[in-house]
Amino acid sequence: MSSQLSRRDWLRASGLLTAGLGLSRVSVAEVSHVAAPLVSTFVNEFSFTDDPFSKMNKLRARLLANENPLGISPAAKEAMCKAAELGNRYAWTEFAQLKKLIADDELVTPANIMLSPGSSDILMASADYFAKDGGTILTSAMTYDDLLERSAKFGAKIVAVPMTKEYKYDLATIKAKITPDVKLVYLVNPNNPTGTVVPTAELESFIREVAPKVPVFLDEAYIDFYEPADRPKLGKLVAEGQNVILARTFSKIHGFAGLRLGYAIAKPELLKAIKPYTNGEFAVSITTLMAGVASYQDKDWQNHCRAENAKARDYTSKALAGMGYDVIPSSANFILFPIRMKTKTFSNAMFANGIGIQTRDFDGQPYCRVSIGTMDEMTAFIDSFKKVVG
């Protein structure tokens, strides 16, 4: 198996989570109970160059981790600096400020909100909780794999149905696969790595039909890239008492990838069940928390980041299409498309040109996933791409 890393492993290795820890790799033997076709699909999602970390500081365009190239909002920076004066105190009432803002937007109560250091903590805790007695996690092939990989390590069986020809979740087939052994249905919307979305009406209908039978975990890491008027407001399903967990992160449009802030929205009893498996809300620093309060309210900055992302994404998609490449339509801050070179060869060549990207193989087809950077970075990507592919 080629050298591959999940997002969490990549963060560990690059020092963004915990400095000094070595790479954590999962071998096929560790997930031998997972159906063979799925092993290559979700375990260790993306491959990189032979040694990406020694080259990280030399990159002209860092387009491999779905980060916000515009950074955090000016309001968040100011709030974070002010909060540094409180660094000698534990956060207490400050948690309530952010929960209230989220709850008001999502039509739930603060009791429906659990904060976390990024959404990864929510994903890992949910994996531990729902896999603790075995059973099946039901999902779709070609989706984000952290929760799935962790669940498999702790004894769950992963069942993934194929996506549609448009690279979208086949909700009808997923629904047909539900058995008493299924402990959780896992969906990512917009999906990673495809960038595709499930129409809101279909998603609502699916959750209302499925959640009474089995909990649905909806990973909405990229939800902020929807236009505000089009954004699904599924907090109402939580308010109705549905067994659904909505996981969100500030790592994307808010630019908090290195600051670490996220949250879950669910029924209080579901949050109570998952909480012992988390690092706890006190894992969120006071500086990050207050920056989050400011960023959440800074709609102008979010609109700016959303517009710049769409502009650079459209430019890149059109440029690739003009070279004869079929780009999967994306609603996120990355695009995925099939390439005509072996993944390692392509990755090494792009890194040699100073462009950091990710690659993967799916059903024998090599793909490139490129994060959307600034317009200058995407121009550099296209120029280098032309050189590499000839």
Side-chain angles (χ1 to χ4, degrees):
M1 181 179 290
S2 62
S3 176
Q4 296 179 310
L5 301 171
S6 70
R7 176 181 70 177
R8 195 171 183 83
D9 289 333
W10 181 84
L11 289 170
R12 283 199 186 99
S14 58
L16 292 179
L17 278 184
T18 306
L21 291 181
L23 301 190
S24 172
R25 300 189 184 275
V26 178
S27 69
V28 174
E30 286 179 296
V31 289
S32 59
H33 57 283
V34 181
L38 182 57
V39 171
S40 61
T41 299
F42 83 85
V43 176
N44 297 321
E45 181 186 5
F46 289 104
S47 63
F48 295 81
T49 85
D50 290 328
D51 183 16
F53 310 114
S54 65
K55 304 172 185 177
M56 199 67 70
N57 292 332
K58 300 177 182 178
L59 292 178
R60 293 186 295 130
R62 178 167 153 160
L63 309 174
L64 46 75
N66 298 344
E67 299 157 330
N68 183 343
L70 304 178
I72 67 175
S73 81
K77 291 179 185 177
E78 182 180 356
M80 187 164 54
C81 289
K82 288 182 179 179
E85 298 176 3
L86 303 174
N88 61 318
R89 304 294 186 187
Y90 293 110
W92 293 102
T93 59
E94 292 84 0
F95 290 107
Q97 295 180 43
L98 184 53
K99 288 184 179 183
K100 177 77 164 52
L101 289 170
I102 296 169
D104 288 349
D105 267 0
E106 299 297 334
L107 305 179
V108 295
T109 71
N112 295 119
I113 311 292
M114 180 168 66
L115 301 179
S116 64
S119 62
S120 292
D121 196 44
I122 302 296
L123 268 68
M124 297 300 99
S126 298
D128 294 353
Y129 174 72
F130 287 104
K132 69 183 188 303
D133 297 318
T136 296
I137 307 294
L138 184 57
T139 188
S140 181
M142 210 169 188
T143 196
Y144 188 65
D145 63 15
D146 272 14
L147 183 147
L148 304 174
E149 179 182 317
R150 177 82 163 218
S151 298
K153 282 183 177 180
F154 280 82
K157 176 184 177 183
I158 309 301
V159 173
V161 305
M163 287 199 157
T164 67
K165 62 182 180 180
E166 293 85 16
Y167 294 90
K168 296 182 178 182
Y169 281 96
D170 186 343
L171 295 183
T173 301
I174 291 175
K175 188 164 53 178
K177 292 283 186 180
I178 293 175
T179 65
D181 187 57
V182 174
K183 299 295 182 66
L184 185 71
V185 174
Y186 176 68
L187 307 174
V188 183
N189 190 57
N191 186 41
N192 181 11
T194 64
T196 52
V197 298
V198 178
T200 300
E202 292 181 24
L203 191 55
E204 280 190 36
S205 176
F206 176 86
I207 292 173
R208 283 199 170 95
E209 185 172 352
V210 170
K213 306 171 188 175
V214 58
V216 177
F217 189 108
L218 188 58
D219 185 342
E220 295 185 318
Y222 301 93
I223 198 71
D224 295 305
F225 290 100
Y226 273 87
E227 288 300 322
D230 300 328
R231 178 173 171 166
K233 288 285 191 177
L234 300 181
K236 63 185 178 183
L237 299 178
V238 174
E240 291 173 9
Q242 299 287 354
N243 282 319
V244 59
I245 302 166
L246 309 178
R248 308 270 181 78
T249 184
F250 277 64
S251 295
K252 308 307 175 187
I253 208 165
H254 293 278
F256 279 38
L259 293 175
R260 314 308 298 141
L261 181 61
Y263 59 97
I265 306 175
K267 296 192 301 184
E269 52 265 42
L270 260 180
L271 296 180
K272 183 178 180 181
I274 295 168
K275 187 175 181 179
Y277 298 86
T278 71
N279 289 315
E281 292 186 332
F282 279 100
V284 179
S285 72
I286 184 66
T287 47
T288 291
L289 182 58
M290 297 315 296
V293 169
S295 186
Y296 193 86
Q297 298 176 89
D298 194 346
K299 305 302 182 186
D300 288 342
W301 183 255
Q302 294 169 44
N303 290 336
H304 170 65
C305 293
R306 189 181 299 108
E308 290 299 305
N309 176 77
K311 183 167 64 175
R313 184 183 64 204
D314 291 347
Y315 158 78
T316 308
S317 298
K318 289 176 181 176
L320 290 168
M323 290 183 277
Y325 285 84
D326 297 322
V327 178
I328 300 170
S330 172
S331 296
N333 63 336
F334 55 86
I335 54 177
L336 183 76
F337 62 99
I339 55 178
R340 300 160 193 161
M341 297 175 64
K342 291 184 177 179
T343 51
K344 182 181 284 189
T345 302
F346 177 76
S347 291
N348 285 334
M350 291 297 286
F351 266 79
N353 278 271
I355 310 297
I357 48 83
Q358 292 192 16
T359 57
R360 72 176 299 168
D361 292 284
F362 184 78
D363 284 348
Q365 170 64 56
Y367 288 84
C368 169
R369 193 198 73 182
V370 57
S371 302
I372 303 303
T374 64
M375 188 61 77
D376 286 344
E377 287 176 315
M378 302 322 294
T379 300
F381 166 77
I382 291 297
D383 290 345
S384 296
F385 185 82
K386 289 177 179 177
K387 293 176 184 178
V388 168
V389 303

